[in-house]
Amino acid sequence: MKRRLLKPSGLFLAGLILFLSIGAPAPAYGMHIMEGFLPAPWAIFWWLVFIPFFTLGLRSLHRITKENPELKLLLALAGAFAFVLSALKIPSVTGSSSHPTGTGLGAILFGPMAMSVLGSLVLLFQALLLAHGGLTTLGANAVSMAVVGPIVASGVYQLVMKVAGKQKVAIFLAAAVANLTTYLVTSVQLALAFPSATGGFVASFVKFAGIFALTQVPLAISEGLLTVLVWNWLSSYGRQELEQLKLIKRSA
């Protein structure tokens, strides 16, 4: 009787070991600076840079939702847009990956500080729920994608609107430039952490930025075009919210 029970148990144990050896999913290391890649002092430094912006972002979100609670759905849409686009990761070299960021739309709608929270939550969910990793490098990734990218997007949008007044051009450029800026900052972060033995920071930055340029430029153009398409959809189905945010003129 005992032998009969042991045989199936042995097969089950062998199958479990085989699954854990070759069938279990491996960590994806999908963040644009992957888990454990930065030296600890630099990882801590970028966390310290990120935290004040995250605090300002919480205050911004509190103000927006308190004054305009009906905009919560649009806030969720901006976060979901960033989540979906930034999850489309293309493996790169040197411990990194390329992907759209999706932060330009939210920065135009609600301002850059709101995206410091939404963007960092997107990165956190991807690290935990999609097994992309990047908890130790979350501060650095959040600074580039959720802080600097949205600030540049908001600035480019306002500048183009002031100079040319063409809203769709402003939206396209804001989304595309925010995408490129995110990876320029990533290149700076990597070059600071890993300066070249011969050319120092500058040589290392040129190397990292050159690698990203091959994939990031077409991704940035695609993201700009997609953001304009989403804006057109919002103009049709979310016109009241855009009027409330004073991004389009109130209907007569």
PDB file of all heavy atoms in Angstrom, residues 217-231:
ATOM      1  N   VAL A 217      13.837  57.076 -31.247  1.00  0.00           N
ATOM      2  CA  VAL A 217      13.322  58.108 -32.159  1.00  0.00           C
ATOM      3  C   VAL A 217      12.043  57.638 -32.867  1.00  0.00           C
ATOM      4  O   VAL A 217      11.022  58.348 -32.847  1.00  0.00           O
ATOM      5  CB  VAL A 217      14.409  58.535 -33.163  1.00  0.00           C
ATOM      6  CG1 VAL A 217      13.808  59.416 -34.257  1.00  0.00           C
ATOM      7  CG2 VAL A 217      15.535  59.279 -32.439  1.00  0.00           C
ATOM      8  N   PRO A 218      12.048  56.446 -33.513  1.00  0.00           N
ATOM      9  CA  PRO A 218      10.768  56.002 -34.121  1.00  0.00           C
ATOM     10  C   PRO A 218       9.670  55.770 -33.089  1.00  0.00           C
ATOM     11  O   PRO A 218       8.487  56.020 -33.371  1.00  0.00           O
ATOM     12  CB  PRO A 218      11.148  54.691 -34.832  1.00  0.00           C
ATOM     13  CG  PRO A 218      12.462  54.288 -34.283  1.00  0.00           C
ATOM     14  CD  PRO A 218      13.152  55.514 -33.850  1.00  0.00           C
ATOM     15  N   LEU A 219      10.032  55.301 -31.882  1.00  0.00           N
ATOM     16  CA  LEU A 219       9.017  55.120 -30.838  1.00  0.00           C
ATOM     17  C   LEU A 219       8.415  56.457 -30.429  1.00  0.00           C
ATOM     18  O   LEU A 219       7.212  56.571 -30.176  1.00  0.00           O
ATOM     19  CB  LEU A 219       9.644  54.441 -29.619  1.00  0.00           C
ATOM     20  CG  LEU A 219       9.883  52.930 -29.716  1.00  0.00           C
ATOM     21  CD1 LEU A 219      10.583  52.424 -28.455  1.00  0.00           C
ATOM     22  CD2 LEU A 219       8.570  52.191 -29.906  1.00  0.00           C
ATOM     23  N   ALA A 220       9.254  57.496 -30.352  1.00  0.00           N
ATOM     24  CA  ALA A 220       8.767  58.821 -29.955  1.00  0.00           C
ATOM     25  C   ALA A 220       7.796  59.379 -30.991  1.00  0.00           C
ATOM     26  O   ALA A 220       6.755  59.952 -30.644  1.00  0.00           O
ATOM     27  CB  ALA A 220       9.946  59.773 -29.764  1.00  0.00           C
ATOM     28  N   ILE A 221       8.142  59.203 -32.276  1.00  0.00           N
ATOM     29  CA  ILE A 221       7.247  59.683 -33.345  1.00  0.00           C
ATOM     30  C   ILE A 221       5.916  58.928 -33.289  1.00  0.00           C
ATOM     31  O   ILE A 221       4.838  59.530 -33.390  1.00  0.00           O
ATOM     32  CB  ILE A 221       7.919  59.505 -34.717  1.00  0.00           C
ATOM     33  CG1 ILE A 221       9.163  60.408 -34.809  1.00  0.00           C
ATOM     34  CG2 ILE A 221       6.943  59.811 -35.846  1.00  0.00           C
ATOM     35  CD1 ILE A 221      10.010  60.150 -36.043  1.00  0.00           C
ATOM     36  N   SER A 222       5.990  57.610 -33.086  1.00  0.00           N
ATOM     37  CA  SER A 222       4.759  56.808 -33.000  1.00  0.00           C
ATOM     38  C   SER A 222       3.911  57.238 -31.809  1.00  0.00           C
ATOM     39  O   SER A 222       2.683  57.337 -31.913  1.00  0.00           O
ATOM     40  CB  SER A 222       5.118  55.321 -32.869  1.00  0.00           C
ATOM     41  OG  SER A 222       5.902  54.898 -33.949  1.00  0.00           O
ATOM     42  N   GLU A 223       4.582  57.483 -30.682  1.00  0.00           N
ATOM     43  CA  GLU A 223       3.828  57.895 -29.489  1.00  0.00           C
ATOM     44  C   GLU A 223       3.157  59.257 -29.701  1.00  0.00           C
ATOM     45  O   GLU A 223       2.025  59.473 -29.258  1.00  0.00           O
ATOM     46  CB  GLU A 223       4.752  57.957 -28.275  1.00  0.00           C
ATOM     47  CG  GLU A 223       4.003  58.364 -27.004  1.00  0.00           C
ATOM     48  CD  GLU A 223       4.864  58.265 -25.751  1.00  0.00           C
ATOM     49  OE1 GLU A 223       5.887  57.551 -25.777  1.00  0.00           O
ATOM     50  OE2 GLU A 223       4.500  58.898 -24.745  1.00  0.00           O
ATOM     51  N   GLY A 224       3.859  60.169 -30.392  1.00  0.00           N
ATOM     52  CA  GLY A 224       3.256  61.472 -30.677  1.00  0.00           C
ATOM     53  C   GLY A 224       2.002  61.342 -31.515  1.00  0.00           C
ATOM     54  O   GLY A 224       0.966  61.967 -31.227  1.00  0.00           O
ATOM     55  N   LEU A 225       2.076  60.502 -32.555  1.00  0.00           N
ATOM     56  CA  LEU A 225       0.909  60.305 -33.427  1.00  0.00           C
ATOM     57  C   LEU A 225      -0.241  59.642 -32.669  1.00  0.00           C
ATOM     58  O   LEU A 225      -1.406  60.047 -32.804  1.00  0.00           O
ATOM     59  CB  LEU A 225       1.306  59.447 -34.636  1.00  0.00           C
ATOM     60  CG  LEU A 225       2.298  60.091 -35.611  1.00  0.00           C
ATOM     61  CD1 LEU A 225       2.760  59.070 -36.647  1.00  0.00           C
ATOM     62  CD2 LEU A 225       1.672  61.304 -36.288  1.00  0.00           C
ATOM     63  N   LEU A 226       0.078  58.626 -31.852  1.00  0.00           N
ATOM     64  CA  LEU A 226      -0.966  57.938 -31.087  1.00  0.00           C
ATOM     65  C   LEU A 226      -1.630  58.882 -30.077  1.00  0.00           C
ATOM     66  O   LEU A 226      -2.855  58.837 -29.870  1.00  0.00           O
ATOM     67  CB  LEU A 226      -0.360  56.732 -30.363  1.00  0.00           C
ATOM     68  CG  LEU A 226      -1.340  55.905 -29.525  1.00  0.00           C
ATOM     69  CD1 LEU A 226      -2.425  55.313 -30.411  1.00  0.00           C
ATOM     70  CD2 LEU A 226      -0.607  54.787 -28.776  1.00  0.00           C
ATOM     71  N   THR A 227      -0.833  59.746 -29.478  1.00  0.00           N
ATOM     72  CA  THR A 227      -1.399  60.692 -28.505  1.00  0.00           C
ATOM     73  C   THR A 227      -2.368  61.661 -29.183  1.00  0.00           C
ATOM     74  O   THR A 227      -3.400  62.021 -28.611  1.00  0.00           O
ATOM     75  CB  THR A 227      -0.263  61.471 -27.806  1.00  0.00           C
ATOM     76  OG1 THR A 227       0.663  60.541 -27.242  1.00  0.00           O
ATOM     77  CG2 THR A 227      -0.809  62.349 -26.693  1.00  0.00           C
ATOM     78  N   VAL A 228      -2.044  62.067 -30.411  1.00  0.00           N
ATOM     79  CA  VAL A 228      -2.965  62.940 -31.150  1.00  0.00           C
ATOM     80  C   VAL A 228      -4.277  62.197 -31.450  1.00  0.00           C
ATOM     81  O   VAL A 228      -5.372  62.776 -31.346  1.00  0.00           O
ATOM     82  CB  VAL A 228      -2.308  63.430 -32.460  1.00  0.00           C
ATOM     83  CG1 VAL A 228      -3.336  64.171 -33.327  1.00  0.00           C
ATOM     84  CG2 VAL A 228      -1.123  64.333 -32.150  1.00  0.00           C
ATOM     85  N   LEU A 229      -4.166  60.912 -31.791  1.00  0.00           N
ATOM     86  CA  LEU A 229      -5.384  60.126 -32.054  1.00  0.00           C
ATOM     87  C   LEU A 229      -6.261  60.034 -30.789  1.00  0.00           C
ATOM     88  O   LEU A 229      -7.489  60.168 -30.866  1.00  0.00           O
ATOM     89  CB  LEU A 229      -5.010  58.717 -32.522  1.00  0.00           C
ATOM     90  CG  LEU A 229      -4.400  58.605 -33.918  1.00  0.00           C
ATOM     91  CD1 LEU A 229      -3.999  57.169 -34.217  1.00  0.00           C
ATOM     92  CD2 LEU A 229      -5.393  59.102 -34.969  1.00  0.00           C
ATOM     93  N   VAL A 230      -5.617  59.791 -29.647  1.00  0.00           N
ATOM     94  CA  VAL A 230      -6.381  59.729 -28.390  1.00  0.00           C
ATOM     95  C   VAL A 230      -7.005  61.084 -28.086  1.00  0.00           C
ATOM     96  O   VAL A 230      -8.147  61.176 -27.603  1.00  0.00           O
ATOM     97  CB  VAL A 230      -5.465  59.266 -27.233  1.00  0.00           C
ATOM     98  CG1 VAL A 230      -6.194  59.346 -25.897  1.00  0.00           C
ATOM     99  CG2 VAL A 230      -4.998  57.841 -27.473  1.00  0.00           C
ATOM    100  N   TRP A 231      -6.271  62.146 -28.378  1.00  0.00           N
ATOM    101  CA  TRP A 231      -6.810  63.498 -28.161  1.00  0.00           C
ATOM    102  C   TRP A 231      -8.048  63.728 -29.029  1.00  0.00           C
ATOM    103  O   TRP A 231      -9.030  64.316 -28.569  1.00  0.00           O
ATOM    104  CB  TRP A 231      -5.742  64.545 -28.487  1.00  0.00           C
ATOM    105  CG  TRP A 231      -6.218  65.936 -28.273  1.00  0.00           C
ATOM    106  CD1 TRP A 231      -6.798  66.768 -29.184  1.00  0.00           C
ATOM    107  CD2 TRP A 231      -6.193  66.658 -27.033  1.00  0.00           C
ATOM    108  NE1 TRP A 231      -7.135  67.953 -28.595  1.00  0.00           N
ATOM    109  CE2 TRP A 231      -6.771  67.917 -27.285  1.00  0.00           C
ATOM    110  CE3 TRP A 231      -5.733  66.341 -25.758  1.00  0.00           C
ATOM    111  CZ2 TRP A 231      -6.899  68.867 -26.284  1.00  0.00           C
ATOM    112  CZ3 TRP A 231      -5.850  67.294 -24.768  1.00  0.00           C
ATOM    113  CH2 TRP A 231      -6.438  68.538 -25.042  1.00  0.00           C
TER     114      TRP A 231
END
